[in-house]
Structures are given as C-alpha cells and as structure tokens.
Amino acid sequence: MTIIRETQPTVTPVESTPFKAEGPQPLLREIPQGEPYPVEALGPLREAVEAVQGMALAPVAIPAGSALAMASLAVQGFADVETLGGKRPVSLFLLTVAKSGERKSSCDRPLMSALQNFEADQAQAYKKAHKKWVDEQELYDLTRKKLMNTTAGGNGTKATEAQADLKAMGDPPEGPILPDRTASEPTLEGLFRAFQQGSPSLGLFSDEAGQFIGGHAMSQDNRMKTLGGINSLWDGSEIKRTRAGDGVYTLRGRRLALHLMMQPVVAGDFLSDPLAGGLGFLPRCLICEPPSTIGTRFSGGQRADDGGALWRFSSRLKTILNQDMPVEKYSKQILNPRTLPLSDKAKKLLVHFSDQIEGAQAPGGDFEGVSGFASKVAEQAARIAGTLALWADLGAPEVTHEMMADAITLAQYYLDEAKRLSEAAEISVDTAQAEMLRLWLLNNWPAIAANIERDAGTITPRDVVQHGPGSLRVTKTAKKHLQTLEAHDCVAKLPDGAEVDGKPRKLAYRIVSE
C-alpha cells in the first residue's frame, strides 16, 4: 500500500479563470484540488455514511466527519488506544469546511438522531432522579442538624449516641449527573462546568461553527485560554482550575470529541491564525474541505436508505450510549478506561507509516511546511483505528492489521487536506494583501499623487512604503505584492532607469487602469 502520494494536485481557481487578456480584475483565491474521500476505509461506518450521502447528495466527507465524531463520542469513555508514544484517548477532533447550502445539517441530523433521543430520555430520567435526590438531601440535612444540636447539648447519653449517629451517617447523598452528552457553543468555563456536573464523556459539535469561532470563548482575550484547555482534553490530561467563585478543582478522566463545520470564509482566517496553529489546536484536528456538489444534486440521483443502514447505525449508537462507562470506584465522573492494544501486524504497519511521514518532514519533503500536523498523524491513525475497532466491538481485544490499514488511509487523507488548506490559507493572506494594494492604487493613490504633485499613473515600492496601507509599509512586502499585481496585469514594470518624478528609478511600475 502506497501511503505518501507522489503526484501533486493541479492548481485551479475557486471561481472563474485567471485574468490575462481581459485586463486587470479582482484577484482570486486559488486552491489546489483535493483527493476524493476514501469512504471505503470507514469500515463499520461506511454503510451509514453512504446512506446519508445518497439522501443528501452532499460531499461524502461531510457525513464521514459526522459519523467519525459520533463514533468517537460513543466509545471514547470505554478504552484508550495504544500508540507509538503510549496509550492515548480515542477522542477525535474534526474540522469540516463547507460553504452555506452544502447540506451540512442534513448530513449531521440523521447521524445524531439517536443521540438526541437518548439525551431526551435521559432528561426525563434526570428530573425524577433529581427530585429524589433533593428529598434525600433535605432529609440528610435535617437529620444532621438535629444530631448536631443534640451533640451540642452536653456530654450525656443522648449526646454520645448523637455523635455515633453522626459518624454513621457518612457522606451526603450524591446527586445525579446532568444527562447532556453534547455542547455546541460553550465558553471554556461552561465546558468545564459541564464536566463537573455532567457526563465525563462529552462532544462539542456544531454545524455552524462560525458562531463558536466568533463567540466569546474564542474572542481575542479568551482564544489562547480556550484553545489550551481544549488541547488538554484531546490529550486526556488532568486539568486544574482556580477560579473566583468556582474555587479550586481538578478534572481527571474526562474525554471530549469535537466536530466543527465551518464556512470557507471562517476557515480561511482560522487556518491562518498563528495562535490556532502555534498552540497546537489545528494539528490535533482532522481537517478537510471537500469539493462542492452544489449544482449537481438533482432529485433523480437521490437514494433512499432501503437497506436500513441508518437504523443499524442508530441502534448501535443507542446500545453503546446505554452501557455504563468504566469509572473509578470513588467517583462516577472519573473515567477508568482500559487500554486497547495494537496487534503485532498493526503496530508494524503504524511504525512503517510513521517513519515515512517523519522522512517527508525533512527540508524539501512533502510535509516540511506542515510538521505540526505530520508529527501527530501516526497518533491520529491509532485513534481512528481504535474508534473503528470499538464501534464494531466494545470488547475488541486488539486493533487488527485491517483496521489500522483503513485508519492510516483516513489519516493520510486528512494530512493531505491539512497541507492543501494550510498552503491555501497562506496564499489567501498574500492574495488579500495584494488585492488591498490594487484597490488602494485605484481609489487612494490618485488623490495622494495629486497632493504631492506626482504622476498618478506610476508607482514605486517607495511610494507604497511611504503612503500605502499600514500593513504594506515594508519595502520587501511592497515589492512582493507589486510583483503579484504585475503577474495579474494590474501594473506593468517600467524599464530599469525609467524616469519617475524627475528621477531615474531602478524599480517602478505603470498602473494599468483598463
């Protein structure tokens, strides 16, 4: 099996074709074409994903991401998986990029329906359990208060008996945990509070993640804190919190699965955010932006789920959710998952994959520019393999060679996508700055040139540095973006030594207005 693909994708524009003969036009974001989603590698999730895709006619990567996230949420409390670096959670973080109208909700909804029904049933059970706990707590408090009063009354027989009864009372009754297994737009404090009061296994899912990315939790002041906290949950690390009003507490044995679906305009900024990448959040995510199917989703192509694949998926999900997760003896909110080992053949395959990816991170290698993603891809493969194995059988004794091969195929796909989108995000930043300069030349430079008695039809890098937009007032940056505009026929380079403003210039351009 070839793991690292040698061929490079063809670069094509997102909309229309590059302008050349037609004169200057707005610069366009260009993005290379991605590989098809390897749906055949989804193993026990494949039939449900294909059923949803057949009904929605959306890119298959969208329901694939939802199914992987849902399976991860279901099984992450039961076992950690062996990796080349020790045992790790099977929790998966996924980011799926798709524009409005791509039927993200239509893909997510049928795969989440069993979870939503489970949460609704649990909410009813929680109401009854909470009422019972309130009554028991009230009785406990009244009894304790009465015994305390008797104890304080003196040293007689009743006081001695009351002291003995106090010791025999033990701890107060433990309240029921909140039934929700998902959150969509929490602050970090809200998420941690949910872990304090609710299930030790949660999912952060949103089919419109722009609301989360642009919300309070991810504001400029909170972004570092939020991303750092979510990173710790992916790692399965112990989290210690000291907060005014909440006191000091420690979260152990918690697991978080994550699937955020966002539009390209949101993803572009987020993928190019140095904080999101530098803190290690993005490299912990399986990222993809599948080709759009809008314009091809004709009704005649829809396929009903006649084989019952979604029913089987929902039935499996319900079965797992209704099983008690292994927890510590002293707390039902601290998970105590077993370790799912790799078979010898699976480990050998993973080692080979890891070594290939490591070599490709060397200078000049395919993944030199995305080493953050590449360095985690072997662990991602083990997590995916663990998720698939546990979904098929919660009691699976090991990850098989076949499961690992499928997981490596999926991990390779997401790594290729991370490289493609990261490079596109970087290109988009440069394109946006070049477009800023183009608009400034058309809209602002004429007035500035008139004010300083200059020819508005010519421009030099020095002019941009002295008078241009603030972010472009660096000689190297100005030269780079003027070269971009030249390549797109927005400016034309003048001969060396051409006279501008009465002086010979080594580098100057004529502005193309038509």
Side-chain angles (χ1 to χ4, degrees):
M1 175 178 61
T2 300
I3 296 173
I4 301 176
R5 286 185 281 270
E6 298 295 333
T7 57
Q8 296 297 318
T10 302
V11 178
T12 56
V14 170
E15 46 183 316
S16 85
T17 55
F19 50 88
K20 277 291 178 184
E22 299 176 4
Q25 298 180 16
L27 274 66
L28 304 176
R29 172 179 181 252
E30 294 186 350
I31 185 169
Q33 183 69 40
E35 295 288 337
Y37 192 90
V39 66
E40 70 282 353
L42 286 170
L45 301 176
R46 177 178 180 175
E47 65 167 6
V49 169
E50 290 183 327
V52 172
Q53 195 279 328
M55 293 186 295
L57 301 181
V60 70
I62 297 178
S66 294
L68 280 169
M70 194 59 54
S72 175
L73 169 62
V75 305
Q76 65 184 353
F78 292 90
D80 294 337
V81 68
E82 179 188 358
T83 74
L84 301 182
K87 72 173 184 176
R88 296 289 187 271
V90 295
S91 305
L92 299 177
F93 284 11
L94 295 107
L95 296 181
T96 303
V97 182
K99 62 184 178 181
S100 179
E102 208 67 76
R103 298 179 176 172
K104 298 185 291 291
S105 299
S106 297
C107 291
D108 214 30
R109 195 179 301 115
L111 294 166
M112 288 191 68
S113 62
L115 173 62
Q116 292 168 341
N117 292 336
F118 172 82
E119 288 182 320
D121 292 342
Q122 291 296 304
Q124 293 299 318
Y126 173 80
K127 287 181 181 179
K128 296 178 181 179
H130 185 266
K131 183 179 183 305
K132 180 182 178 183
W133 171 75
V134 169
D135 293 341
E136 291 173 347
Q137 182 68 46
E138 185 176 349
L139 179 61
Y140 179 92
D141 290 342
L142 289 172
T143 302
R144 188 173 186 278
K145 183 177 181 180
K146 182 178 179 180
L147 292 173
M148 289 289 290
N149 290 336
T150 302
T151 300
N155 297 320
T157 302
K158 288 186 177 181
T160 301
E161 291 175 349
Q163 287 178 342
D165 290 341
L166 272 173
K167 291 181 180 179
M169 284 186 70
D171 296 329
E174 189 174 355
I177 64 174
L178 294 172
D180 292 341
R181 293 288 186 92
T182 58
S184 57
E185 299 172 43
T187 61
L188 185 64
E189 284 72 26
L191 183 60
F192 286 166
R193 194 172 298 115
F195 274 122
Q196 273 188 299
Q197 301 174 3
S199 171
S201 172
L202 294 175
L204 175 53
F205 300 150
S206 175
D207 57 10
E208 288 296 343
Q211 298 173 14
F212 174 69
I213 299 299
H216 177 72
M218 295 291 281
S219 67
Q220 197 65 35
D221 292 337
N222 294 326
R223 181 167 291 202
M224 180 179 293
K225 175 183 64 176
T226 297
L227 293 177
I230 293 177
N231 285 351
S232 296
L233 289 166
W234 187 83
D235 297 337
S237 301
E238 179 181 278
I239 297 173
K240 293 185 177 181
R241 302 288 291 171
T242 303
R243 298 284 298 175
D246 293 337
V248 179
Y249 64 89
T250 301
L251 294 175
R252 300 185 185 90
R254 266 57 170 194
R255 296 291 183 267
L256 179 72
L258 177 145
H259 187 204
L260 301 178
M261 291 191 268
M262 60 185 70
Q263 295 187 29
V265 65
V266 176
D269 290 339
F270 193 54
L271 291 174
S272 61
D273 181 359
L275 197 60
L279 286 177
F281 173 73
L282 289 175
R284 287 171 167 82
C285 296
L286 303 171
I287 301 175
C288 72
E289 182 179 356
S292 175
T293 60
I294 295 175
T296 66
R297 304 169 301 186
F298 303 110
S299 300
Q302 287 182 305
R303 303 184 303 275
D305 181 26
D306 296 331
L310 278 176
W311 179 88
R312 285 188 292 275
F313 179 91
S314 296
S315 178
R316 178 61 179 154
L317 180 58
K318 182 178 179 181
T319 297
I320 297 175
L321 292 174
N322 278 308
Q323 291 202 38
D324 292 331
M325 290 177 284
V327 294
E328 298 286 356
K329 292 180 180 179
Y330 54 87
S331 174
K332 58 188 176 184
Q333 289 179 281
I334 301 179
L335 291 167
N336 184 24
R338 68 184 177 94
T339 299
L340 176 65
L342 308 182
S343 71
D344 290 342
K345 288 185 177 180
K347 183 180 291 187
K348 183 177 180 180
L349 187 61
L350 185 60
V351 168
H352 178 65
F353 175 62
S354 179
D355 287 347
Q356 279 192 295
I357 297 298
E358 181 63 28
Q361 295 177 64
D366 285 347
F367 301 119
E368 177 189 5
V370 286
S371 59
F373 291 93
S375 64
K376 288 182 170 57
V377 73
E379 179 176 331
Q380 295 280 26
R383 287 173 180 248
I384 295 170
T387 295
L388 296 177
L390 293 168
W391 178 265
D393 178 9
L394 273 182
E398 62 182 12
V399 172
T400 66
H401 174 271
E402 291 76 17
M403 284 286 187
M404 183 58 72
D406 283 342
I408 285 173
T409 298
L410 292 168
Q412 176 75 60
Y413 166 81
Y414 283 110
L415 176 59
D416 289 344
E417 282 289 281
K419 177 189 175 185
R420 182 176 71 92
L421 297 178
S422 295
E423 291 173 350
E426 291 175 4
I427 292 170
S428 294
V429 172
D430 285 344
T431 301
Q433 290 188 331
E435 174 68 1
M436 181 194 303
L437 177 57
R438 186 188 74 84
L439 293 174
W440 178 82
L441 290 175
L442 295 176
N443 301 323
N444 301 89
W445 174 238
I448 296 172
N451 188 51
I452 61 176
E453 299 182 350
R454 274 284 316 280
D455 175 14
T458 59
I459 193 75
T460 68
R462 180 171 179 161
D463 294 327
V464 177
V465 172
Q466 289 183 331
H467 306 289
S471 61
L472 305 184
R473 292 187 179 185
V474 177
T475 301
K476 183 178 179 181
T477 302
K479 287 181 177 180
K480 179 175 71 171
H481 294 314
L482 282 169
Q483 288 173 353
T484 300
L485 294 185
E486 180 190 7
H488 288 80
D489 293 340
C490 297
V491 299
K493 187 177 178 181
L494 297 174
D496 288 352
E499 201 170 278
V500 175
D501 191 26
K503 299 177 183 179
R505 304 287 181 173
K506 185 176 181 181
L507 184 60
Y509 295 87
R510 175 177 58 83
I511 299 171
V512 179
S513 58
E514 295 183 355

